[in-house]
Amino acid sequence: MPKSLTPRLAALRDEIHGHAKEFGLDFFDTIFEMVSYDEMNMVAAYGGFPTRYPHWRWGMEYEQLAKGYEYGLSKIYELVINNDPCYAYLMESNPEVDQKLVMAHVYGHCDFFKNNFSFRHTNRRMIDEMANHATRVRRWVDKIGVEKVEDFIDRTLSLENLIDQHAPHIRRNPDPRKAEDELKANERVEGFKVGREYMRGYINPSEFLDSQRKKVEDEKQRAKKFPERAQRDVLLFLLEEAPLEPWEADILAILRDEAYYFAPQGQTKIMNEGWASYWHSTIMTRRALRDDEIIDYADHHSGTMGTRPGAINPYKLGIELWRDIEERWNKGRFGKEWDECDDLRARRSWDKKLGAGREKIFEVRKHYNDITFIDTFLTPEFAMEQKLFVYGFNDKRNSWEILDREFRKVKNKLLQGLTNFGQPIIEVVDGNFENRSELLLTHRHDGQDLKGDYARETLRNLQSLWRRPVNILTRYDNKGTMLRFDGQSHSERKVDL
């Protein structure tokens, strides 16, 4: 069971809290709880929450985390939940310097959760909601049976990325009721043209006009596409249109809600971890560290910031880019004059002493996500300084090598990995494909082919929910390909795009 803080840690929490407020951080009330390493692994296996719906994967993730800790391969320093109030966990075996570091890091996360636009629509009572989800699933387990429920959850979890991560911020489709009202208002069936108004009732009786309206409506229904527009939220389409049992629809809605809750964390991983790391570094080095803690702090901080070729450390990339933005706006290294300066000596010594860096990073923290953050603020100078290159693995030499140093390719590689979490964009385009109630999806090809085994398993799981054959249109070798699963076997055929 989590424990409350000791008097000493409570005093340190108040101290770190004061430093965070002094620097301008704005966060929800934050509750810290003490846990053992075993309890930390259990909470981490649940995605940071104390309670989740019953499923075997939580035990699998716990085993992986526990073995990693026992063998000295990994260690969880902090867990914080986007909630109001925020909840964070401290491992009771950590030394005092680590507890202070974690508290400062947590306050950075909580500030980001509260103020970044990506989290504006998230449920701020998600701890309670997760407990409600667990209760609902357990009721279905008692009623339906654990094997059927777990099997359905297995299949649905393989589809949980088929959501529209931008849906909370935009309206892709018009309000259906409003659109229907406007359509009816614009409908005018006048019948035959008459020369005299008094003859209208004889030439166009109401029964005739009603039959004409029905004929027009039937024609529109036949011509109406289903769905009217390509729909990226595949899970919502299945909820609304698939022939699901009540228990299946309820569980699918639960998993979809949780997918949308976690989506902003994936959209802002670099910014969020970088922001929290920036503030734990600032608070610790300028306010909270004692002289005898500096070596331990530097050791643990540098371990978190370690990088290797071919992989991005969000902590390292994030903190360095935040620092770069602050320095650029402090020295005025932005705008038309800076962009047009081609004198390398002048650029190196450029300093207009604007001092606007801190204000700028708070502005960026509010209005950007990882894609816009990288796209707007990554510069050739920063990429060179941080050794950001396009890496590839050479099988002959059995080592990682630099494939490309060109800034545009480095930036595009980063952005490609961040777009839709680096996963393919799939949309529903027809729920009555070829008038056979089959489901047709399309892959918005961006240069990366679908992995064949992943695509086949996804089609299998979609078909189990749709109950009819499922098709997906994609491209291989720049040629159109239709993949299909009919419930029994997979098939593939070439099509014109």
Side-chain angles (χ1 to χ4, degrees):
M1 289 289 292
K3 310 176 188 69
S4 58
L5 299 186
T6 63
R8 173 59 180 165
L9 285 178
L12 290 175
R13 176 202 58 200
D14 295 340
E15 177 190 343
I16 301 298
H17 180 276
H19 296 324
K21 286 293 185 181
E22 177 190 349
F23 282 114
L25 297 185
D26 173 30
F27 39 79
F28 298 122
D29 290 340
T30 305
I31 299 172
F32 290 93
E33 295 183 342
M34 298 288 295
V35 293
S36 66
Y37 84 90
D38 196 50
E39 291 169 330
M40 180 71 87
N41 289 333
M42 286 191 285
V43 173
Y46 275 152
F49 289 87
T51 306
R52 296 296 294 275
Y53 57 82
H55 190 254
W56 60 266
R57 72 167 176 152
W58 311 126
M60 179 190 69
E61 293 181 8
Y62 168 79
E63 277 298 307
Q64 183 178 6
L65 291 168
K67 290 293 189 294
Y69 182 85
E70 290 171 6
Y71 298 156
L73 301 175
S74 63
K75 179 180 178 180
I76 301 170
Y77 277 96
E78 51 88 20
L79 275 176
V80 57
I81 302 174
N82 169 31
N83 199 74
D84 183 10
C86 287
Y87 281 83
Y89 301 95
L90 303 175
M91 194 181 301
E92 60 188 9
S93 59
N94 280 347
E96 189 173 288
V97 64
D98 285 358
Q99 306 292 30
K100 292 197 290 187
L101 185 154
V102 169
M103 289 177 184
H105 194 89
V106 163
Y107 283 127
H109 277 309
C110 295
D111 171 87
F112 197 89
F113 290 148
K114 182 177 180 180
N115 295 284
N116 184 265
F117 84 96
S118 300
F119 294 88
R120 189 174 303 159
H121 300 283
T122 55
N123 187 344
R124 302 295 192 179
R125 293 286 186 270
M126 201 60 186
I127 286 183
D128 297 335
E129 191 65 24
M130 288 291 190
N132 292 338
H133 289 174
T135 300
R136 285 159 60 185
V137 173
R138 286 190 177 93
R139 286 174 180 166
W140 288 122
V141 168
D142 293 340
K143 188 173 182 179
I144 306 297
V146 64
E147 290 188 3
K148 289 185 68 174
V149 171
E150 279 206 341
D151 178 64
F152 182 79
I153 291 176
D154 287 345
R155 287 181 275 124
T156 306
L157 285 175
S158 72
L159 310 174
E160 67 176 347
N161 62 327
L162 299 181
I163 59 173
D164 183 358
Q165 57 181 268
H166 303 294
H169 310 286
I170 59 177
R171 184 185 295 276
R172 296 193 190 274
N173 300 315
D175 186 321
R177 289 176 295 183
K178 184 177 180 181
E180 186 178 352
D181 292 342
E182 289 178 354
L183 183 65
K184 288 181 178 179
N186 293 331
E187 277 184 7
R188 294 189 65 189
V189 178
E190 297 182 350
F192 296 108
K193 187 175 181 180
V194 295
R196 297 287 186 274
E197 187 63 31
Y198 70 88
M199 294 293 293
R200 185 177 299 278
Y202 297 99
I203 297 176
N204 297 308
S206 59
E207 295 83 2
F208 172 72
L209 293 178
D210 290 342
S211 66
Q212 289 297 103
R213 290 191 186 96
K214 188 175 186 308
K215 185 177 179 181
V216 169
E217 181 64 27
D218 290 343
E219 289 176 355
K220 286 182 178 179
Q221 289 297 328
R222 281 194 295 271
K224 187 176 180 181
K225 196 175 179 183
F226 168 57
E228 291 185 13
R229 295 174 177 82
Q231 186 162 329
R232 191 177 296 183
D233 191 342
V234 179
L235 295 189
L236 178 61
F237 183 82
L238 293 173
L239 271 173
E240 294 176 342
E241 308 296 344
L244 300 172
E245 299 289 335
W247 68 272
E248 293 176 316
D250 189 33
I251 293 176
L252 179 58
I254 286 172
L255 298 183
R256 177 175 174 272
D257 287 345
E258 294 188 5
Y260 271 106
Y261 170 80
F262 287 113
Q265 297 182 32
Q267 292 173 300
T268 59
K269 181 70 173 177
I270 293 172
M271 284 185 71
N272 197 348
E273 295 297 354
W275 183 256
S277 299
Y278 171 92
W279 285 110
H280 89 229
S281 175
T282 301
I283 291 172
M284 292 294 284
T285 56
R286 298 188 185 181
R287 295 289 189 275
L289 269 181
R290 299 195 312 265
D291 292 348
D292 61 331
E293 296 173 330
I294 291 176
I295 300 300
D296 288 335
Y297 165 77
D299 177 54
H300 299 161
H301 175 78
S302 61
T304 306
M305 299 298 150
T307 58
R308 60 181 176 82
I312 292 295
N313 182 341
Y315 295 83
K316 175 64 172 176
L317 179 58
I319 190 175
E320 294 298 346
L321 196 47
W322 282 117
R323 287 171 174 169
D324 186 65
I325 295 168
E326 184 176 31
E327 181 183 25
R328 287 172 58 198
W329 262 257
N330 278 337
K331 296 182 176 181
R333 295 180 176 181
F334 61 92
K336 185 173 184 290
E337 186 180 357
W338 167 259
D339 292 338
E340 292 178 351
C341 178
D342 55 6
D343 186 336
L344 293 180
R345 183 177 297 176
R347 288 174 74 92
R348 278 196 295 266
S349 61
W350 192 290
D351 188 357
K352 292 185 175 294
K353 301 187 185 302
L354 297 183
R358 186 61 56 83
E359 178 184 355
K360 182 63 179 179
I361 63 173
F362 274 98
E363 174 194 323
V364 173
R365 171 265 267 148
K366 185 175 183 179
H367 297 295
Y368 289 75
N369 60 25
D370 279 352
I371 291 176
T372 54
F373 185 61
I374 296 294
D375 191 39
T376 306
F377 299 108
L378 191 73
T379 63
E381 295 86 355
F382 179 86
M384 185 63 68
E385 180 184 344
Q386 297 300 320
K387 297 181 174 58
L388 296 178
F389 309 120
V390 177
Y391 291 89
F393 192 79
N394 188 321
D395 292 324
K396 292 182 179 179
R397 297 183 180 179
N398 195 34
S399 64
W400 288 92
E401 295 182 350
I402 296 174
L403 300 182
D404 210 308
R405 300 173 186 267
E406 185 182 341
F407 171 69
R408 178 53 54 185
K409 292 183 179 179
V410 171
K411 187 174 182 178
N412 287 343
K413 186 76 172 178
L414 269 174
L415 293 174
Q416 186 179 54
L418 295 171
T419 302
N420 201 47
F421 311 137
Q423 298 167 346
I425 297 176
I426 308 296
E427 297 175 328
V428 176
V429 293
D430 197 346
N432 188 26
F433 181 52
E434 296 183 342
N435 201 31
R436 296 187 300 194
S437 298
E438 295 187 9
L439 186 63
L440 175 64
L441 304 103
T442 186
H443 168 218
R444 290 180 54 181
H445 202 281
D446 59 357
Q448 294 291 327
D449 293 342
L450 289 179
K451 293 183 178 179
D453 53 345
Y454 280 49
R456 286 187 289 273
E457 286 304 310
T458 300
L459 288 177
R460 181 188 298 276
N461 292 331
L462 281 169
Q463 191 278 333
S464 70
L465 273 64
W466 188 248
R467 314 286 204 259
R468 293 283 298 159
V470 178
N471 310 265
I472 185 167
L473 182 62
T474 185
R475 259 196 338 235
Y476 288 112
D477 299 325
N478 218 25
K479 296 178 181 178
T481 302
M482 183 79 76
L483 305 178
R484 185 173 187 269
F485 182 70
D486 60 8
Q488 299 294 327
S489 61
H490 292 278
S491 60
E492 179 179 328
R493 62 185 173 91
K494 302 297 181 184
V495 295
D496 295 328
L497 292 175

